[in-house]
Amino acid sequence: ETGVTQSPTHLIKTRGQQVTLRCSSQSGHNTVSWYQQALGQGPQFIFQYYREEENGRGNFPPRFSGLQFPNYSSELNVNALELDDSALYLCASSYDRDQPQHFGDGTRLSIL
Amino acid sequence: AQRVTQPEKLLSVFKGAPVELKCNYSYSGSPELFWYVQYSRQRLQLLLRHISRESIKGFTADLNKGETSFHLKKPFAQEEDSAMYYCALSGFSGNQFYFGTGTSLTVIP
């Protein structure tokens, strides 16, 4: 399936490490949101980037940060990893902030 | 606090029976409501949004501001409707999103 792609698919890290997850949006999508989905839960909104600026943020600490690039790619960075950070991380992009979001398959992050 | 509640984690109905997936929300403002669906081995995708007022795959959802609900309904369930369904809410400016915990629907042949 084309559209939004995320890498890597799976990742294993240890407590205290740092991780960067990547997302490639569809061309023309100027808005990207990141979500954390723990097992058995719905996606939790981390933050949204609009035209390379953070545009909204959920209830996540500052060690969760992001970047959005002009080529429609984006990153989610997490510092000082904790066991509770183990989850599926989803990226979703859209043509604009009020347009439907298109999700990627996610990156499964496991913290040991 | 902003919240989306889906009271049923699991729901089973027989093929041809009506189905209703419940969603209640709490939001201080004018929210936009959505239903997302995830079929087996597929990615999360938008099913419908309340401002579109359209029926997708036979599903409809009406926003009831008095009861703060946005229940998803279909008069005759099909086997291909078996999936995980998430109710979601965004603020008017579209920069905050809240998802429910999801309802897994199984349509029994």
Side-chain angles (χ1 to χ4, degrees):
Chain A
E1 189 172 343
T2 57
V4 180
T5 57
Q6 293 186 242
S7 62
T9 306
H10 296 89
L11 198 51
I12 299 174
K13 291 284 189 178
T14 56
R15 275 172 46 187
Q17 285 189 309
Q18 179 267 342
V19 69
T20 297
L21 309 183
R22 294 182 170 83
C23 173
S24 178
S25 303
Q26 291 181 211
S27 180
H29 282 198
N30 61 23
T31 305
V32 64
S33 298
W34 285 89
Y35 295 85
Q36 181 194 68
Q37 186 174 20
L39 207 58
Q41 301 297 315
Q44 279 199 67
F45 176 71
I46 302 175
F47 46 56
Q48 180 189 82
Y49 276 76
Y50 172 67
R51 295 185 174 178
E52 301 163 47
E53 298 282 336
E54 186 176 298
N55 185 57
R57 191 175 183 93
N59 189 27
F60 280 82
R63 61 189 183 85
F64 286 78
S65 63
L67 287 170
Q68 184 186 25
F69 303 101
N71 65 351
Y72 307 112
S73 66
S74 59
E75 292 179 354
L76 164 65
N77 299 288
V78 187
N79 294 322
L81 286 165
E82 301 177 359
L83 294 179
D84 285 349
D85 296 334
S86 294
L88 180 69
Y89 288 85
L90 295 167
C91 164
S93 70
S94 58
Y95 280 113
D96 210 328
R97 289 167 294 182
D98 62 347
Q99 295 301 305
Q101 297 183 84
H102 299 262
F103 281 82
D105 288 323
T107 293
R108 174 75 61 188
L109 177 63
S110 299
I111 311 301
L112 304 180
Chain B
Q2 334 295 10
R3 188 171 60 246
V4 177
T5 303
Q6 294 181 250
E8 305 135 330
K9 285 197 84 68
L10 301 171
L11 184 63
S12 295
V13 299
F14 284 100
K15 178 182 173 181
V19 60
E20 180 178 82
L21 289 85
K22 291 184 168 50
C23 173
N24 289 90
Y25 68 90
S26 171
Y27 187 77
S28 54
S30 296
E32 182 170 358
L33 276 296
F34 308 83
W35 278 97
Y36 281 84
V37 61
Q38 187 166 27
Y39 300 103
S40 179
R41 289 185 289 278
Q42 293 187 27
R43 56 185 62 177
L44 199 58
Q45 59 185 286
L46 178 68
L47 179 62
L48 54 82
R49 54 195 303 197
H50 90 271
I51 62 169
S52 300
R53 296 184 174 277
E54 54 190 349
S55 173
I56 305 293
K57 298 185 179 182
F59 284 98
T60 58
D62 291 319
L63 179 60
N64 186 323
K65 292 186 179 180
E67 296 182 358
T68 59
S69 67
F70 188 57
H71 303 328
L72 184 68
K73 300 177 184 179
K74 184 170 183 177
F76 307 104
Q78 303 299 314
E79 290 178 65
E80 55 265 30
D81 297 329
S82 295
M84 180 68 97
Y85 292 81
Y86 294 96
C87 181
L89 170 160
S90 77
F92 183 74
S93 58
N95 66 347
Q96 288 281 346
F97 292 89
Y98 304 90
F99 277 75
T101 52
T103 297
S104 177
L105 174 66
T106 300
V107 179
I108 304 165

